[in-house]
Amino acid sequence: MESKDVVALKEEHPDVDGAVPKDPPKTVYIKAVFLKLSDIDTVKEQFAADVFLQARWREKSLDHSKEDIEVDFDKYWNPDLMIQNRTESAQRKKWCVLRFGTSGEAFIVERRRIKGVFTEKMELQDFPFDSQDLSVVLTSDRSVEEVTLEEDSQDLSTINVTSFADEQEWWLNDYVESKKSVIRKEYTDRKNVEFPVLRVSCFATRQFMFFVWNIIIIMLIISLLSFATFAIDRNLPQNRLQLAFTLTLTGVTFRFVANQSLPKIPYLTKLDKFILFSMIFNFLVSVWHATVSQIDDTTAADGRHDFWAFITFIILYSLFQCIFILNVFLRYFMTKQKVKRKLRIYREKAIRILGQTWYSNRRSKTDRTETRRIVPLPF
């Protein structure tokens, strides 16, 4: 086997002694088990997890060896795997074993268990009706020309939903999926070199009723009280404006409360849009009360223009609420269908790998703890 320096020299000068044939990249099969998930922090965009990782790759030089042979794994090829999105961790254990296929082909299996904090970019456009992928991102210090990361088709990646610690705030779906991609590492000496990435993810849906009862409903009541200002005589604009300004300032307070649950993001969430509309609506009502006293009443002494303004505000307010509710239910339905589709694919894969008894065994284990789980929004 050629040394790394020789290989690098030949790649740097490909015209010397003709073309240098390259070995195909070695495939590494990945399995991940989410043993425990907790502390999903929307503001810091991170979560805590206890994860078991297994990597498996071929080692032809050990084919047809004895299973009880002692192997110094440091002398053999290694994919140099690393976790890209880990911020804090305590790697409890890392070990390697030798396994053989049905025809005697040898596989080196590297296993590790990691407990730590992982970063995750939150997609919060639908907050508080959002769902989030919680991922462990695996990459290698070897380029895509040397190694390929694949989901293990012979061993199932799983998640332990019964040990989920944030079930009061999130609903954790019972499936795991993997996605491949590539990245470029700017700190390496080799420019424009791509490295493999495998993102292993589970899916959590936020329990949104806390925000509905404590922010949306309260904000709805505050904005509805804007209509009560029309009960004050239109010849007393100072009284109308005093009440309208109080309601607007109350809306600003709730806006700050909602911001405490979110990171500093450059776009509006659904909750932001709802609160912002309520504040704009109160502002428009205040503008009307400030100008109504300047309207000439010689031809409309009964104040009919104030009545039609009242009707216009009702139509505007009702239209927004209908659009908001329809949009929320549509997005929720689309997410529900997406999760059902992925659950079906995952179960088919699990049955193909583990057999028909997988689903019934898993259901029986889950049902024993179901009475202790709060499941208001099952998919």
Side-chain angles (χ1 to χ4, degrees):
M1 182 180 294
E2 295 180 334
S3 66
K4 293 183 178 180
D5 294 336
V6 173
V7 173
L9 181 62
K10 289 184 177 181
E11 291 181 355
E12 184 178 356
H13 304 283
D15 295 330
V16 177
D17 297 332
V20 179
K22 295 182 180 180
D23 294 331
K26 184 171 290 191
T27 302
V28 178
Y29 302 98
I30 302 296
K31 169 190 174 181
V33 179
F34 291 89
L35 300 172
K36 186 175 181 180
L37 283 171
S38 62
D39 299 332
I40 302 176
D41 194 328
T42 305
V43 178
K44 295 182 179 180
E45 295 187 291
Q46 62 185 27
F47 66 96
D50 189 355
V51 185
F52 170 79
L53 296 173
Q54 175 179 288
R56 177 172 63 90
W57 63 89
R58 286 277 284 117
E59 184 52 63
K60 295 182 179 180
S61 62
L62 294 174
D63 285 354
H64 306 288
S65 300
K66 296 182 180 179
E67 292 191 7
D68 58 350
I69 185 176
E70 293 186 4
V71 179
D72 185 0
F73 293 102
D74 293 333
K75 295 181 180 180
Y76 292 89
W77 184 90
N78 191 283
D80 297 331
L81 296 177
M82 58 183 295
I83 300 176
Q84 187 182 25
N85 65 329
R86 180 178 59 184
T87 58
E88 302 175 9
S89 69
Q91 186 166 306
R92 296 180 175 177
K93 193 175 182 181
K94 177 180 177 181
W95 69 101
C96 292
V97 295
L98 186 63
R99 292 290 179 263
F100 295 93
T102 55
S103 302
E105 63 273 22
F107 290 88
I108 293 180
V109 181
E110 180 184 88
R111 295 167 177 168
R112 64 182 78 183
R113 185 173 177 181
I114 299 174
K115 182 178 181 181
V117 178
F118 303 83
T119 59
E120 180 65 48
K121 183 179 180 182
M122 302 287 182
E123 302 293 337
L124 298 168
Q125 290 86 349
D126 294 329
F127 177 84
F129 311 100
D130 58 314
S131 300
Q132 303 295 337
D133 287 321
L134 305 176
S135 307
V136 173
V137 183
L138 287 168
T139 185
S140 172
D141 279 338
R142 300 180 182 270
S143 70
V144 293
E145 298 178 352
E146 301 174 78
V147 63
T148 301
L149 301 183
E150 298 276 357
E151 181 183 7
D152 199 333
S153 60
Q154 299 181 11
D155 211 345
L156 185 68
S157 294
T158 59
I159 180 170
N160 185 7
V161 295
T162 59
S163 64
F164 185 47
D166 279 354
E167 61 182 11
Q168 300 293 340
E169 300 180 31
W170 299 83
W171 165 255
L172 190 61
N173 295 279
D174 191 9
Y175 73 87
V176 177
E177 65 174 353
S178 301
K179 295 180 181 178
K180 294 171 54 178
S181 61
V182 295
I183 60 170
R184 292 182 179 178
K185 300 179 181 179
E186 300 299 332
Y187 60 83
T188 60
D189 294 333
R190 295 177 293 175
K191 302 299 181 182
N192 300 323
V193 176
E194 294 181 333
F195 297 85
V197 172
L198 186 70
R199 178 182 292 269
V200 185
S201 309
C202 56
F203 195 73
T205 302
R206 191 185 303 272
Q207 307 278 28
F208 55 77
M209 291 309 297
F210 170 84
F211 298 94
V212 170
W213 290 115
N214 291 278
I215 296 181
I216 293 181
I217 296 297
I218 301 300
M219 199 68 209
L220 181 67
I221 294 173
I222 293 173
S223 56
L224 282 173
L225 287 175
S226 296
F227 294 107
T229 59
F230 286 89
I232 302 175
D233 194 308
R234 59 190 175 84
N235 294 318
L236 298 173
Q238 65 276 14
N239 292 346
R240 285 189 171 189
L241 289 174
Q242 184 179 11
L243 179 57
F245 288 166
T246 301
L247 294 175
T248 301
L249 292 175
T250 306
V252 172
T253 302
F254 271 89
R255 180 72 177 88
F256 287 124
V257 171
N259 281 345
Q260 294 177 2
S261 302
L262 292 170
K264 295 180 180 179
I265 50 180
Y267 53 84
L268 294 177
T269 67
K270 276 188 168 54
L271 184 61
D272 291 332
K273 294 176 182 177
F274 185 86
I275 297 177
L276 188 60
F277 170 81
S278 300
M279 295 175 61
I280 293 175
F281 181 79
N282 289 338
F283 168 76
L284 294 176
V285 172
S286 300
V287 170
W288 169 254
H289 293 328
T291 57
V292 66
S293 61
Q294 304 302 318
I295 298 176
D296 186 8
D297 284 345
T298 56
T299 58
D302 56 351
R304 187 168 297 274
H305 55 280
D306 199 41
F307 171 77
W308 286 113
F310 178 74
I311 297 299
T312 301
F313 282 123
I314 289 179
I315 295 174
L316 176 64
Y317 189 84
S318 301
L319 184 62
F320 171 81
Q321 297 299 334
C322 290
I323 294 174
F324 180 81
I325 293 174
L326 283 175
N327 184 263
V328 168
F329 274 98
L330 180 62
R331 292 288 298 177
Y332 177 77
F333 177 78
M334 293 174 61
T335 303
K336 183 178 180 180
Q337 295 303 313
K338 173 184 173 183
V339 172
K340 282 185 176 181
R341 182 173 64 254
K342 291 185 176 182
L343 271 172
R344 183 176 63 253
I345 295 172
Y346 179 77
R347 288 172 181 171
E348 291 174 354
K349 179 172 63 176
I351 291 174
R352 184 176 66 252
I353 296 174
L354 302 176
Q356 294 291 336
T357 58
W358 171 83
Y359 185 64
S360 58
N361 291 340
R362 194 165 183 82
R363 286 289 298 177
S364 61
K365 291 178 182 179
T366 304
D367 291 342
R368 285 197 294 267
T369 58
E370 197 67 30
T371 56
R372 299 194 299 271
R373 294 171 59 84
I374 298 176
V375 191
L377 296 170
F379 280 151

